Amino acid sequence: MTTTVSAALFDVRTEYLYGLAESTAKESRNASVWSTSDAVDDLRRVTEKQAFSQLIPEIETTWAGVIAQYVNSSMKATN
């Protein structure tokens, strides 16, 4: 099972997109047509938890890049 999560950093007033972050988690287990829906649901939860955990540092990196870009831009504009 593969789970991908994404985050977008944008201004809701202007709809300006500042940055994107994404993370993917994969898990595989032996499965068959006889697998229960509970087993499939458990595997889905595992990959979702992994993907969201991996997304946090991606968001932090994206946010740091946004801050660095726009702080530098605003400082140049005032000089």
Side-chain angles (χ1 to χ4, degrees), residues 1-8 19-26 44-59 62:
M1 177 161 302
T2 302
T3 300
T4 299
V5 294
S6 301
L20 298 170
E22 184 176 275
S23 175
T24 300
K26 296 179 184 181
R44 177 190 56 81
R45 289 176 206 227
V46 166
T47 59
E48 285 178 357
K49 184 176 181 178
Q50 289 174 351
F52 276 106
S53 294
Q54 294 169 8
L55 182 64
I56 300 302
E58 294 296 325
I59 292 171
T62 301

Side-chain angles (χ1 to χ4, degrees), residues 10-16 18:
F10 67 95
D11 184 327
V12 296
R13 290 177 294 147
T14 64
E15 298 180 5
Y16 182 80
Y18 287 97

